[in-house]
Amino acid sequence: MNSRRDFLQKFSLGIGAATLVATAEPVSAAKTLIPDAPKADKQLRVALMGLGGYANIVARGMKECKTAKLVGIVTGTPSKIPEWKQKYGIEDKNIYNYENLNEIKNNPDIDLVYVITPNSLHHKHVLQVAAAGKHVISEKPVADNAKQAQEMIAACEKAGVKFYIGYRLHFEPHTREVVRMREAGEFGKIMHVNNYMGFKSGDPNQWRLKKALAGGGAMMDVGVYALNGARYCTGEEPIWVTAQESKTDPVKFKDVDETITFQLGFPSGIIANCGCTYNFNHSERLHVMGDKGWAELNPAFGYGPIRGITHKGPIEQPDVNHQAYQMDGIADAILNGKPDPNVTGAEGLKDMVVVDAVYESIKKNGAKIFINK
């Protein structure tokens, strides 16, 4: 696999996100958790910034959107422009590069920019988009560290624009059903969480293995899935972290972490065991256990289909296009005044606080790091 996103797209039974369609009606108790069909008379006009593999997946997914529409692109690779114009009907007036991005502020036909550039560029690019007065989505991880995330939130607040993170699973029906069951007390008291996410990285020259562009390795890239999952499985915020790193290929992974296991302690006494890796496949699982029931998603974090089972039986939820659901959900909030979904910059900051603590623990030989709220 050449990238995490290529892996995620292909991992779940080889079904690409762009081809997913609903295969079953959601159970009645979960219907309220699936985003309402947005109003079709208004559309959020979106430009994608960075035209790599995941941007292509988002663009294809947006063809299914009801309230979000792809209208623009920002790229540093001019050779990509003709194909994008042809595939998605992008007009010349909505095409920008990294040098003239500030000019987007004068374009009334673009409402939001979705930043899908390498991780360590998110901070710079979100600040630029906010300064241009446009709403912004940043892909995960939001930044290199919590300090940068705070700066991004502050810049967007100052500019009066909305700031979201690409937590697509917060819109995914199987995931939402697990959260609903936890909130309804169907698992009883949560006792333990066990999450893992990873894949075997391919090209040793890819940007994800260069710290200057990636910010970190497996923890930054896929560890946030296990971490964020632990937070929505418990409904709590961790108060301490311990972490360990293992590296079997110090040449390939000389700049970034290869495999990290970490433990999260929560106020109620729950402990979550989590892990992430860049060095083996078939590691995509979320498992939450309570004193009255349990749930497992496996696959849990890829582009679909997500599959799950609980103590009550299989989770019967529809397979959906994650990217379309995410974009329509965010558009609904911006255009129709709905409450912000739980994918704002603040959610990204909470993850980065923990990621910082994970790396601090590793530097201190696995010491317990207490998180100050």
Side-chain angles (χ1 to χ4, degrees):
M1 301 294 174
N2 291 327
S3 73
R4 165 179 63 99
R5 293 179 175 116
D6 288 342
F7 163 74
L8 290 172
Q9 183 189 17
K10 297 174 183 176
F11 178 63
S12 299
L13 303 180
I15 301 177
T19 64
L20 295 182
V21 296
T23 59
E25 285 299 316
V27 295
S28 58
K31 283 186 176 179
T32 58
L33 293 175
I34 297 174
D36 295 333
K39 298 177 181 178
D41 58 342
K42 292 186 285 185
Q43 287 189 312
L44 185 74
R45 298 161 298 179
V46 177
L48 301 184
M49 183 173 186
L51 303 184
Y54 189 61
N56 280 272
I57 294 171
V58 172
R60 293 194 297 269
M62 288 187 66
K63 289 183 176 182
E64 297 185 20
C65 285
K66 301 178 179 70
T67 301
K69 181 180 181 181
L70 175 60
V71 300
I73 55 175
V74 183
T75 181
T77 309
S79 61
K80 294 182 178 180
I81 294 174
E83 180 181 2
W84 279 75
K85 287 176 63 177
Q86 189 275 327
K87 276 189 176 181
Y88 303 107
I90 307 296
E91 298 182 43
D92 288 335
K93 66 183 180 65
N94 293 338
I95 297 174
Y96 296 87
N97 56 52
Y98 299 129
E99 285 68 41
N100 68 2
L101 177 63
N102 65 305
E103 296 177 12
I104 205 170
K105 66 184 176 183
N106 301 316
N107 190 337
D109 296 326
I110 294 176
D111 303 309
L112 177 146
V113 177
Y114 192 162
V115 176
I116 316 179
T117 52
N119 300 341
S120 283
L121 299 179
H122 292 173
H123 175 256
K124 172 184 176 180
H125 289 155
V126 167
L127 296 185
Q128 288 178 310
V129 173
K134 302 296 181 181
H135 302 302
V136 59
I137 303 173
S138 171
E139 250 313 298
K140 308 174 297 298
V142 58
D144 285 352
N145 51 56
K147 180 177 182 295
Q148 286 188 352
Q150 291 171 328
E151 292 170 353
M152 295 155 81
I153 291 169
C156 290
E157 289 178 347
K158 181 179 179 180
V161 299
K162 296 279 192 177
F163 178 32
Y164 300 99
I165 314 301
Y167 288 114
R168 58 185 164 75
L169 291 170
H170 287 227
F171 301 90
E172 194 281 319
H174 296 77
T175 305
R176 293 174 72 89
E177 174 63 1
V178 171
V179 173
R180 183 203 67 76
M181 292 179 72
R182 188 262 300 165
E183 291 176 339
E186 295 181 28
F187 303 133
K189 180 182 178 181
I190 303 300
M191 306 300 292
H192 188 67
V193 173
N194 192 328
N195 297 343
Y196 214 96
M197 180 57 181
F199 70 100
K200 188 174 181 66
S201 63
D203 181 4
N205 297 312
Q206 64 182 283
W207 66 263
R208 284 182 177 79
L209 303 184
K210 300 175 181 177
K211 189 172 183 179
L213 289 175
M219 185 66 218
M220 293 284 286
D221 199 21
V222 291
V224 291
Y225 286 99
L227 162 58
N228 197 255
R231 291 179 49 239
Y232 57 67
C233 277
T234 61
E236 299 182 20
E237 298 300 329
I239 56 175
W240 59 259
V241 173
T242 57
Q244 307 79 34
E245 178 184 4
S246 61
K247 190 171 291 193
T248 64
D249 191 338
V251 175
K252 182 175 182 178
F253 299 103
K254 67 176 187 288
D255 283 347
V256 301
D257 42 281
E258 174 190 319
T259 300
I260 287 179
T261 54
F262 58 100
Q263 302 75 44
L264 307 175
F266 294 88
S268 65
I270 303 167
I271 293 178
N273 287 329
C274 302
C276 54
T277 186
Y278 265 171
N279 205 28
F280 50 87
N281 289 332
H282 312 303
S283 52
E284 182 188 342
R285 178 177 180 266
L286 177 150
H287 194 181
V288 55
M289 291 153 276
D291 63 357
K292 294 181 180 178
W294 56 271
E296 179 175 359
L297 297 180
N298 187 358
F301 304 118
Y303 297 156
I306 304 297
R307 289 290 176 261
I309 188 169
T310 78
H311 60 286
K312 295 183 176 182
I315 298 177
E316 299 293 344
Q317 291 291 326
D319 295 330
V320 303
N321 186 299
H322 297 187
Q323 289 73 25
Y325 255 46
Q326 170 188 288
M327 297 307 295
D328 270 344
I330 290 173
D332 202 18
I334 293 175
L335 296 178
N336 299 321
K338 298 288 183 67
D340 272 330
N342 189 33
V343 294
T344 64
E347 178 73 356
L349 173 60
K350 291 175 182 178
D351 276 349
M352 291 314 304
V353 168
V354 181
V355 171
D356 285 353
V358 165
Y359 282 124
E360 184 180 354
S361 177
I362 290 170
K363 288 179 181 178
K364 296 180 178 179
N365 297 314
K368 182 181 286 188
I369 305 299
F370 291 92
I371 299 172
N372 297 319
K373 299 298 180 184

